[in-house]
Amino acid sequence: MSGYHEPTWADERDSRLLAEVRDRAWAGYAYADALPRLGLSAAGVPALTGIHPDRVGRYVVLTVRDPLAGHAGRSHAETLASAFGPAEPAGSSSLFDAWTAPLGDERVTVISTGSGSPELELVLVELMQHTPADVLIYFGTAAGLHPYVHPGHVVVATGVVRGEATTRAYIDSSFPAAPHHDVVSALLAGARDESVAAVTGITRSTDSDILGNGRPSVGGYFQPELRDTIDYWVRAGVLCNERESSAVVTLGSLFGRRTGVVLAVTDNYPNGRPLIIGAGVADATRTLVAGMRELEQQDRERPRARETGWRAGA
């Protein structure tokens, strides 16, 4: 199970036709015989992440080692995975650390990374090339933007503005970054079960964390065209800013995975609410764990053999 994931209801003829469309681009690639189609490997494991494919679960959480969340050291993945149950190492490298824990009849793997969409691209590609990962969820912190969002709030994204550049290397900017309805529904159910008043709506990912989010840089430096950034996105109803979820949602959707986003808001300077280290992280963690347990149960109980889409009561 690697590369693209196809719908369970797709028949053999449809899958063959789709494979032909995909293969036409690869067939004309001048370096097809020189570059490894499955990426770089070392000692039998993907070289960048060091993950062992047989130790990775169907459900995966991607999360940044974030000082604003109160995370310290490389144990963040182990700590978060342990919220699901006894955790065991699934691999590591100088960039990534992965731990796997039980999740119902399945397993969940938590992978901690550095920040930004370029690093997320590295781990996402190796996951989708080498492991059975079917659900990809980004879990992290965000800077509040809209006045309605305060430090301590938990946000479950229903869409992500693709304000970074990594995903534009994969697909035109008009392609939406839309978390999967299965995952959004399960996360909201988890928030309800944990009595967490989750906020839902559109979030935004950027590469530049300072000027790109409308904040002054060194010595008050500003690009004039960025001075209206905050008001522009507030007027659009965008809730908060971060740097990673666009990559998870866009790349996951491109290759047939279900995706989701859970964020803890740690500040909202435009609204006069300064940084609180770790604000909302405990509630976001409870939302994540309960939501993923709900999703695993739904996946186990509902018939999927010929399911072509969501339906109420399923």
Side-chain angles (χ1 to χ4, degrees), residues 28-263:
Y29 181 49
Y31 302 97
D33 294 332
L35 297 178
R37 191 165 182 175
L38 293 181
L40 305 175
S41 63
V45 299
L48 294 172
T49 59
I51 54 174
H52 294 264
D54 60 343
R55 300 181 193 174
V56 174
R58 177 184 179 188
Y59 302 83
V60 172
V61 178
L62 299 142
T63 181
V64 168
R65 297 186 297 273
D66 186 357
L68 302 186
H71 304 149
R74 288 173 53 88
S75 63
H76 171 47
E78 180 183 7
T79 300
L80 185 55
S82 296
F84 293 92
E88 298 181 349
S92 65
S93 69
S94 58
L95 288 173
F96 305 102
D97 189 28
W99 290 75
T100 295
L103 182 68
D105 289 349
E106 297 282 350
R107 296 180 298 169
V108 57
T109 298
V110 178
I111 303 176
S112 63
T113 82
S115 67
S117 290
E119 278 213 10
L120 268 293
E121 177 200 16
L122 301 180
V123 65
L124 286 164
V125 168
E126 290 199 345
L127 279 171
M128 292 188 287
Q129 290 278 45
H130 296 281
T131 80
D134 175 64
V135 173
L136 305 171
I137 296 181
Y138 179 70
F139 176 87
T141 62
L145 182 65
H146 199 282
Y148 296 160
V149 178
H150 301 171
H153 280 169
V154 174
V155 173
V156 175
T158 55
V160 184
V161 176
R162 292 172 53 201
E164 39 66 48
T166 300
T167 63
R168 292 198 293 277
Y170 280 78
I171 191 70
D172 185 84
S173 58
S174 62
F175 184 90
H180 197 278
H181 49 76
D182 284 355
V183 182
V184 173
S185 176
L187 290 171
L188 292 177
R192 177 200 63 211
D193 293 345
E194 293 295 319
S195 299
V196 174
V199 181
T200 59
I202 307 299
T203 64
R204 176 172 173 260
S205 293
T206 64
D207 284 329
S208 167
D209 191 48
I210 311 298
L211 285 182
N213 285 332
R215 293 186 286 146
S217 188
V218 178
Y221 177 83
F222 247 116
Q223 292 279 39
E225 65 269 22
L226 297 177
R227 287 178 178 171
D228 191 43
T229 296
I230 291 174
D231 287 354
Y232 180 88
W233 292 110
V234 169
R235 290 194 297 269
V238 172
L239 301 178
C240 55
N241 291 313
E242 43 72 47
R243 303 181 64 231
E244 295 82 21
S245 62
S246 173
V248 176
V249 174
T250 305
L251 270 63
S253 298
L254 271 175
F255 299 109
R257 272 67 171 183
R258 293 176 293 166
T259 63
V261 179
V262 183
L263 302 169

